[in-house]
Amino acid sequence: MWLIIAIIAMLCWSGSDFFSKLGSKPSDKYSHWKMVIAVGTVMGIHAVYEIATGTAITFMDIVYYLPASAMYILSMIFGYVSLRYIELSVSSPICNSSGALAAILCFIVLGQTIDGLSTVGVVIVCVGVLLLGFAEYTEDDEAKAKRQLKSNRKYTKSVLAILLPLLYCLIDALGTFFDAVILEEGNTFMTSVFHYMDEDVANVAYELTFLFMAVVAAVYVFVIKKQKVVDFREEVPKGIGAICETAGQFAYIYALAANPVGAAPVICAYCVVSAVWSSIFLKERLSWKHYASLVAVIAGIIIMGVAEGLAEI
């Protein structure tokens, strides 16, 4: 059963990547805020369900978990913006590399030990991301245009295209770091500020914070900026992406609880599936330098997933 749940999480998160990409129109400068509205709404509905079925949460729980929630939400906003400027098959592996930075932060600040396998994974990921950024930015404009001939979308070389997913990676790593502080029972780091809470309570706190952010985004887009939904069908991918994101998070928790050793590397491979969807449906094509870098990043992520699973035994 754990394998089925892990595959569901992998497919849902890759689906979130793909449908978020479909919903991120390069011509719509508010598309990332609309994506926040969609995700926050779906997560809010799920949070209400969790509370109705027995998850007890207080306002202070939301406040205590706010550092992690804020980092996760902010990183996702940068991620949604990046989808307007770069191929999904490039942005997804970079974003998913945040675990490597989180491991480094936990090692330096919290004094947590990093086993040899995790260290290998972290090094491979960091090198792969650097090579990927180098391949993207140094690519000749003519070569870039040539490989995008059959693509559904065209992109030009820019610092912003690489900077945005890197910001996602860095900020998401900070969220994971705060998770390690808040969710690790007995952790003495900054105990005057944080306190330990269960994973299910933290998840609901995160979802309620995202719901609040969705309300803020809706006010900004539809009230302050007076934007209108011209064609509802164009917003459907955002809703599907939001459902996939929420379902993936839910399946992720149960898959790791059931079998961390097997589930972690399966779920970590979701960026590979995202690249497959982008190749089939978006007709994205990369250079051999891109693909070589992506293989390194993905291999490192999977190695870290295996190491994480072994650590849970």
Side-chain angles (χ1 to χ4, degrees):
M1 180 60 74
W2 70 266
L3 180 59
I4 295 176
I5 300 174
I7 292 175
I8 290 174
M10 179 185 69
L11 292 176
C12 283
W13 272 349
S14 66
S16 176
D17 272 357
F18 175 70
F19 285 107
S20 298
K21 178 66 172 180
L22 283 184
S24 300
K25 304 296 181 182
S27 59
D28 184 4
K29 62 181 180 180
Y30 300 106
S31 65
H32 55 289
W33 291 120
K34 294 175 182 177
M35 194 65 217
V36 170
I37 295 170
V39 174
T41 300
V42 174
M43 284 194 174
I45 293 172
H46 182 256
V48 171
Y49 170 79
E50 287 291 304
I51 294 172
T53 54
T55 301
I57 186 170
T58 67
F59 176 75
M60 288 309 300
D61 287 326
I62 299 174
V63 173
Y64 281 127
Y65 196 66
L66 188 58
S69 295
M71 293 300 99
Y72 285 139
I73 294 171
L74 182 59
S75 68
M76 290 180 72
I77 293 173
F78 278 117
Y80 293 143
V81 177
S82 74
L83 294 177
R84 292 165 49 199
Y85 298 97
I86 195 171
E87 290 94 339
L88 175 61
S89 48
V90 175
S91 67
S92 183
I94 294 177
C95 292
N96 201 26
S97 301
S98 59
L101 292 182
I104 295 173
L105 278 174
C106 290
F107 173 73
I108 295 175
V109 181
L110 300 182
Q112 294 183 353
T113 58
I114 301 180
D115 59 84
L117 191 59
S118 295
T119 301
V120 171
V122 168
V123 172
I124 293 175
V125 167
C126 293
V127 172
V129 169
L130 290 174
L131 292 176
L132 186 57
F134 182 79
E136 177 69 16
Y137 190 68
T138 59
E139 185 179 25
D140 181 78
D141 289 337
E142 184 178 344
K144 191 179 188 72
K146 185 177 180 180
R147 67 176 173 81
Q148 291 181 1
L149 285 176
K150 295 183 180 181
S151 175
N152 293 350
R153 299 185 183 186
K154 313 300 179 185
Y155 305 93
T156 56
K157 181 171 65 179
S158 70
V159 175
L160 188 64
I162 288 294
L163 179 61
L164 287 170
L166 285 176
L167 283 173
Y168 174 104
C169 178
L170 174 60
I171 298 171
D172 188 72
L174 288 173
T176 304
F177 167 76
F178 284 126
D179 254 346
V181 174
I182 298 169
L183 301 181
E184 183 178 333
E185 191 170 9
N187 198 323
T188 58
F189 179 75
M190 294 181 69
T191 51
S192 61
V193 179
F194 301 116
H195 78 143
Y196 169 76
M197 65 175 63
D198 292 329
E199 286 83 352
D200 56 344
V201 176
N203 190 53
V204 172
Y206 167 61
E207 291 181 330
L208 290 176
T209 305
F210 219 129
L211 174 61
F212 173 77
M213 192 64 211
V215 173
V216 173
V219 171
Y220 174 72
V221 173
F222 299 117
V223 178
I224 298 177
K225 293 300 181 179
K226 297 179 171 59
Q227 297 296 301
K228 296 181 179 179
V229 178
V230 179
D231 188 348
F232 179 76
R233 291 172 297 180
E234 292 186 357
E235 307 303 329
V236 171
K238 294 184 177 68
I240 299 176
I243 293 172
C244 288
E245 178 66 32
T246 305
Q249 178 69 21
F250 187 72
Y252 167 79
I253 295 173
Y254 282 96
L256 284 190
N259 188 342
V261 176
V266 172
I267 298 171
C268 284
Y270 81 85
C271 57
V272 180
V273 184
S274 298
V276 172
W277 300 148
S278 64
S279 177
I280 295 173
F281 297 106
L282 301 178
K283 310 300 181 184
E284 291 184 358
R285 300 293 185 269
L286 303 177
S287 69
W288 70 267
K289 293 180 181 179
H290 286 88
Y291 284 122
S293 303
L294 288 174
V295 168
V297 172
I298 293 168
I301 290 172
I302 294 175
I303 289 172
M304 288 192 301
V306 172
E308 178 185 350
L310 291 173
E312 296 291 334
I313 299 179

